[in-house]
Amino acid sequence: MNRNSANKLCRQLCLIVALVFSVSVAAQRDFSTIRTGVNATDAKIIERGVKAFERPKDAARTRGNGFDDDNKDHYKNNWNGYEYYRYTYPSISAKGEPITLTALAAMPTKYTTPINNIILGCHVTITDNASAPSEYITTGDWKSDVGMLIMHAKNKSASDLAYNCLVILPDYQGYGITRNEAHPYLAQEITARQSVDALRYGIELYKTSKKNRAKIRDNWKTICVGYSQGGSVAMACQRFMETNFLDADLQLGGSVCGDGPYDPIATLRTYIAEDKVYMPVALPLIIKGMLDYNPYMRRHAMSDYFNQRFLNTGIVEWIEKKEKDTGTIQNELKKTFNFQKDAKGEYIKVSEIFNPDAFEFMSKKMKGEPTEKNPKFDDLYTALTVNNLTEGWKPKHPIYLFHSKVDEVVPISNAESAYQKMRTDANPTIIKYTYTDKGNHGGSGRSFYFAFLGQSYEEMGVNAIAGGEESWNKFNP
């Protein structure tokens, strides 16, 4: 090769390197370009009620609330290349009052690879505070849904869009720092608002980190993800962002929702029609949540709906104290009630725990039969209707639904209701779904988040949304 040819080849190689480098640089941006509408300085350090590592006596002045080393509520996983921090942030309570809540944020420890996306992770139904995301630092199990969601922060190739993510995991009101308050179970609007506030403040705290953290890819998305109650919260967060004009600034991509109670009427209809409830704590969780926070329900009491035998088990106290997990509560109820078993699992009859007049009214109501006017039952039906995510909203961004056809806790009718009611002729593929033929509620959750080979259903959904319109259109679950 002569000198001229060599020089020409060298210039071409330099040009190629320069182009690749320029594309690489142009493909990412600084977090400061993201507009959240909130300020990190408002996320004050609150110590009350937070269990963590031992701190100095003057902890309130020495602990940081950001994503730096002065935040002692911090854990680093060198093996997987991510770390996570507990933080507090301001929001609005279910009663419309100012409140401070807790959340967990996970992020990659490799700063040279850009953040691919922001995952808003929404946790499952819990009855014990130890299972809250902010408690993961001290009590977490990597096999839990919180552990699975944190894995999105794992450091991998920049082309693997489901990883290298900033993951925000809010505690719902009634958990974490607010564990002494009632949890507004299935109060979709307020839980969504609080969760989106966790997202917005989490982004702002990431901006203020002193660690020169990774930038974010130019075409990043916010993706809401959750299973069970978390599935409905993920969908509610998408609705909240779309209906409050936050979807553009937060670059909402869509949501990945597994076996969620999107339509509480559909859930109750199945329970009543079959006269079976496989996770009995679900019913008092729903009704207590409505009694505590829904204006239609505040004049009523648990004894208006549940019989004394059920209430005497201590079910209300267990829910309020948040010391027993759902499995422990199930075992406690077996001391009083004779659980029966079918192909789906163990259950007790709804008619065994409801008052006779409550069961009769709801049976007629769910069948569409005429009922006499009765405030305590009419108000319950109205409160449930208000929290139906499948009515009064058409999504603008993709939703991937995953559901087991034999889920005994959250019936498949929830996903079917969402799919049938929320699509439009103008955008028929805005919702896509996978319905599996096997797996109870717990088993379906494991299938959603985990796969021995290849990608889990949840990861496939995240990748499809993260890749943008072309990727979503090719997605054929």
Side-chain angles (χ1 to χ4, degrees):
M1 180 182 295
N2 60 40
R3 180 175 295 180
N4 289 335
S5 298
N7 288 339
K8 184 177 181 181
L9 180 60
C10 183
R11 286 196 299 272
Q12 289 174 337
L13 288 172
C14 289
L15 180 60
I16 291 170
V17 171
L19 284 171
V20 169
F21 181 74
S22 66
V23 169
S24 168
V25 172
Q28 56 185 287
R29 65 166 90 169
D30 195 83
F31 263 77
S32 62
T33 62
I34 303 175
R35 296 188 301 174
T36 64
V38 298
N39 194 313
T41 58
D42 294 329
K44 296 180 175 63
I45 302 166
I46 304 293
E47 295 293 333
R48 176 180 55 82
V50 177
K51 288 190 233 175
F53 303 116
E54 290 186 15
R55 305 190 186 102
K57 293 180 181 179
D58 205 11
R61 285 193 291 156
T62 60
R63 185 176 78 86
N65 194 44
F67 306 152
D68 290 304
D69 293 337
D70 59 348
N71 184 344
K72 304 305 180 185
D73 291 351
H74 167 223
Y75 178 80
K76 189 173 184 178
N77 186 316
N78 292 315
W79 179 263
N80 288 309
Y82 61 74
E83 59 188 336
Y84 43 88
Y85 297 81
R86 175 166 29 199
Y87 66 99
T88 59
Y89 67 96
S91 190
I92 299 297
S93 75
K95 295 180 179 179
E97 301 167 348
I99 191 171
T100 298
L101 299 167
T102 34
L104 194 72
M107 60 210 70
T109 53
K110 186 176 180 181
Y111 305 157
T112 55
T113 304
I115 297 290
N116 275 326
N117 299 288
I118 301 177
I119 303 293
L120 178 53
C122 308
H123 69 76
V124 300
T125 297
I126 59 175
T127 53
D128 62 313
N129 190 66
S131 297
S134 70
E135 292 294 317
Y136 189 82
I137 287 177
T138 53
T139 62
D141 179 359
W142 70 269
K143 298 185 295 296
S144 67
D145 67 314
V146 174
M148 293 291 102
L149 286 163
I150 284 175
M151 290 300 289
H152 285 293
K154 184 176 180 178
N155 181 252
K156 283 194 174 185
S157 167
S159 61
D160 201 336
L161 297 182
Y163 295 92
N164 298 304
C165 295
L166 171 62
V167 184
I168 303 297
L169 296 126
D171 293 335
Y172 306 149
Q173 182 178 343
Y175 296 101
I177 199 172
T178 60
R179 64 175 65 93
N180 293 325
E181 299 184 20
H183 168 50
Y185 190 68
L186 297 191
Q188 308 288 16
E189 180 76 8
I190 189 60
T191 303
R193 173 174 182 166
Q194 293 169 350
S195 299
V196 173
D197 281 346
L199 169 72
R200 298 161 77 194
Y201 280 102
I203 293 171
E204 289 299 318
L205 290 171
Y206 186 95
K207 289 181 187 179
T208 61
S209 174
K210 304 177 183 68
K211 291 195 171 187
N212 193 29
R213 292 190 178 277
K215 295 183 179 181
I216 193 165
R217 73 180 178 107
D218 192 48
N219 295 319
W220 66 278
K221 310 282 189 225
T222 291
I223 305 173
C224 310
V225 182
Y227 182 82
S228 188
Q229 181 186 3
S232 66
V233 174
M235 185 182 288
C237 287
Q238 174 168 337
R239 183 180 70 171
F240 183 84
M241 283 187 262
E242 289 185 357
T243 55
N244 288 277
F245 310 104
L246 294 168
D247 52 325
D249 285 342
L250 297 176
Q251 292 198 191
L252 176 63
S255 54
V256 179
C257 310
D259 290 51
Y262 321 112
D263 183 347
I265 299 296
T267 301
L268 196 57
R269 183 180 293 114
T270 301
Y271 288 179
I272 296 291
E274 296 181 352
D275 195 12
K276 297 177 181 179
V277 57
Y278 295 84
M279 191 173 83
V281 71
L283 284 172
L285 274 174
I286 293 170
I287 293 179
K288 188 177 186 308
M290 303 296 169
L291 289 169
D292 287 330
Y293 292 110
N294 194 289
Y296 295 105
M297 295 287 288
R298 288 175 186 167
R299 55 179 170 164
H300 307 305
M302 291 287 274
S303 57
D304 290 330
Y305 307 97
F306 297 104
N307 61 41
Q308 206 58 47
R309 182 187 180 202
F310 185 60
L311 295 177
N312 285 345
T313 61
I315 188 73
V316 175
E317 182 181 8
W318 300 335
I319 292 171
E320 289 176 343
K321 285 190 172 181
K322 303 184 182 76
E323 294 174 350
K324 301 179 186 291
D325 62 25
T326 55
T328 302
I329 289 177
Q330 190 91 334
N331 289 331
E332 289 287 344
L333 289 173
K334 289 179 181 179
K335 297 176 181 178
T336 303
F337 290 90
N338 180 29
F339 277 66
Q340 301 179 53
K341 190 172 183 179
D342 63 12
K344 290 184 177 180
E346 295 182 319
Y347 67 90
I348 56 177
K349 291 185 176 182
V350 180
S351 56
E352 284 190 76
I353 62 176
F354 267 176
N355 285 328
D357 59 341
F359 185 77
E360 181 183 6
F361 178 92
M362 297 308 291
S363 295
K364 290 181 178 179
K365 194 76 173 178
M366 296 303 164
K367 293 176 183 176
E369 297 176 1
T371 55
E372 294 183 6
K373 191 171 183 179
N374 188 317
K376 61 185 177 183
F377 303 135
D378 289 329
D379 290 347
L380 173 61
Y381 193 84
T382 301
L384 292 169
T385 303
V386 167
N387 289 289
N388 186 348
L389 292 170
T390 69
E391 299 282 359
W393 168 62
K394 303 293 184 185
K396 297 187 293 183
H397 299 83
I399 296 176
Y400 173 49
L401 298 172
F402 171 88
H403 216 108
S404 167
K405 293 179 183 178
V406 292
D407 189 320
E408 80 285 15
V409 176
V410 183
I412 185 67
S413 54
N414 282 271
E416 291 172 335
S417 177
Y419 184 73
Q420 296 298 333
K421 294 178 181 179
M422 292 163 57
R423 292 183 309 143
T424 64
D425 292 337
N427 203 349
T429 62
I430 197 72
I431 301 177
K432 298 185 178 183
Y433 67 87
T434 295
Y435 296 159
T436 59
D437 293 320
K438 60 182 181 179
N440 61 14
H441 193 65
S444 184
R446 288 187 289 273
S447 298
F448 180 67
Y449 279 119
F450 182 76
F452 282 106
L453 297 173
Q455 298 179 13
S456 68
Y457 291 103
E458 182 256 9
E459 186 179 344
M460 287 191 290
V462 169
N463 275 320
I465 292 173
E469 184 177 358
E470 182 179 357
S471 174
W472 179 254
N473 289 338
K474 291 179 179 178
F475 183 46
N476 187 25

